[in-house]
Amino acid sequence: MRAFTYQRADSVTHAAAAAIKPGSKIIAGGTNLLDLMKLQVETPSDLVDINRLPLDKIEETAEGGLRIGALVRNSDLAADPRVRQRYGVLSRALLAGASAQLRNKATTGGNLLQRTRCYYFYDVTKPCNKRSPGSGCAAIAGFNRIHAILGTSEHCIATHPSDMAVAMRALDANVETVDGEGKTKVTSIAEFHYLPGNTPEIETSLKPGEIITAVTLPPPPPGVQVYRKVRDRASYAFALVSVAAIFDSTRGRIRSARLAFGGLAHKPWRVAKADQILSDASADTATFNAAANAVLEGARGFGGNDFKIPLTRRTLHSVLAEITRT
């Protein structure tokens, strides 16, 4: 790990202003950043600690939703009675996300900003356009079992690792940010994360010196909420495929549906066409097949991850069958 300076921010604007300096990084839980620093994937010259800022509250909104501070720990968010009762898909996603020790440290804002778990991104001896733009993507012709099948480019086939973000995508969350001048902004989570395109090193809509202050959830949608995560082992593993599903159905007919997927793309993946196919439709195999076809339109495997295409289809069928039986 390389030498760095350390400072504690005494206000949100102080933190944002300090973070705009080249080489500066915000640190909260540090569950991802510290690992990257040890491997010299990240080599910040200055760490700005925001843990003392008043961003650790979960509050009701006037619209009937929740405002979740950026420093709310994942364990506290998953255990909050309002989240468990009204946003069960979020609580389940968080509990599926990591070990209890990590959830006790990891924060809401940091969870959204996790870097990919691509093997080549973590190995500084290998080319990676995300880590070193223009060097190439070793995963495309390499060991790519965990990599993306949707939204890829010739420059990157990495996936976003967050379970929480997948649930928040299904819930239509918004991300609140502030910059060093105190200017605030609200971005839908659909627009917060970017696909790789020609610039895989640019992962989110955050500008230099802009930091997350909160995530807001709209009022809970009607219906049953489910989070299904398929992974190589039962705990402490990232998703091969995950599905956040919210269904309002009765007597074999679906009134409305929302689906978001993890493990498939560079960002939480949601296809409006699939939601439309499932809404006001019969809960039968033909409908499920049509929805799966919409989700997987344009899907492409790279050899080691070809299995993700049929796995996604089977996982979606299983989730839909479970929900529509309730």
Side-chain angles (χ1 to χ4, degrees), residues 10-43:
D10 55 21
S11 70
V12 172
T13 52
H14 172 205
I20 201 171
K21 176 185 173 184
S24 293
K25 283 284 184 180
I26 296 290
I27 186 167
T31 56
N32 189 202
L33 178 60
L34 292 179
D35 284 342
L36 295 172
M37 290 173 65
K38 291 174 184 177
L39 295 170
Q40 296 193 20
V41 175
E42 296 272 12
T43 55

Side-chain angles (χ1 to χ4, degrees), residues 280-296:
D280 193 24
S282 297
D284 54 31
T285 301
T287 301
F288 297 170
N289 281 335
N293 290 340
V295 170
L296 291 167

Side-chain angles (χ1 to χ4, degrees), residues 28-272:
T31 56
N32 189 202
L33 178 60
L34 292 179
D35 284 342
L36 295 172
M37 290 173 65
K38 291 174 184 177
L39 295 170
Q40 296 193 20
V41 175
E42 296 272 12
T43 55
S45 57
D46 185 36
L47 289 185
V48 183
D49 189 335
I50 62 171
N51 280 292
R52 294 189 177 183
L53 301 183
L55 301 175
D56 59 351
K57 301 292 191 297
I58 303 174
E59 303 167 306
E60 299 276 354
T61 66
E63 296 76 21
L66 290 179
R67 183 177 187 272
I68 304 160
L71 291 179
V72 173
R73 307 293 161 169
N74 286 178
S75 55
D76 293 334
L77 183 57
D80 187 278
R82 294 163 294 185
V83 175
R84 293 177 63 189
Q85 293 167 13
R86 293 153 53 185
Y87 304 97
V89 66
L90 177 56
S91 182
R92 295 184 185 99
L94 286 162
L95 293 173
S99 67
Q101 293 92 335
L102 285 172
R103 291 196 299 270
N104 287 341
K105 291 293 292 181
T107 62
T108 299
N111 194 304
L112 292 178
L113 297 175
Q114 288 183 81
R115 308 298 303 275
T116 182
R117 261 54 179 192
C118 172
Y119 316 114
Y120 302 100
F121 172 72
Y122 271 76
D123 186 347
V124 295
T125 68
K126 301 296 188 294
C128 171
N129 287 318
K130 185 179 290 295
R131 189 187 65 248
S132 180
S135 63
C137 176
I140 291 177
F143 186 60
N144 49 42
R145 185 172 184 274
I146 65 171
H147 287 72
I149 59 172
L150 290 163
T152 59
S153 77
E154 61 180 339
H155 300 284
C156 183
I157 61 170
T159 59
H160 194 277
S162 172
D163 290 282
M164 183 195 78
V166 178
M168 288 186 168
R169 180 69 183 90
L171 291 166
D172 289 328
N174 290 307
V175 182
E176 297 181 8
T177 60
V178 68
D179 64 19
E181 297 179 352
K183 296 178 181 177
T184 60
K185 186 173 71 176
V186 177
T187 305
S188 72
I189 197 165
E191 298 176 345
F192 182 75
H193 295 105
Y194 288 165
L195 292 176
N198 296 325
T199 54
E201 73 278 10
I202 303 174
E203 299 175 343
T204 72
S205 63
L206 286 180
K207 306 300 181 186
E210 189 176 17
I211 66 172
I212 298 173
T213 53
V215 175
T216 56
L217 300 177
V224 178
Q225 300 182 20
V226 170
Y227 189 75
R228 177 76 60 83
K229 181 176 182 178
V230 180
R231 46 190 163 174
D232 284 324
R233 57 184 186 273
S235 65
Y236 200 20
F238 297 101
L240 295 171
V241 176
S242 64
V243 184
I246 305 172
F247 267 68
D248 186 17
S249 62
T250 184
R251 298 177 183 175
R253 192 159 190 85
I254 306 165
R255 294 194 189 97
S256 63
R258 300 186 190 189
L259 296 172
F261 295 82
L264 302 184
H266 203 260
K267 61 185 289 185
W269 193 258
R270 188 169 172 191
V271 178

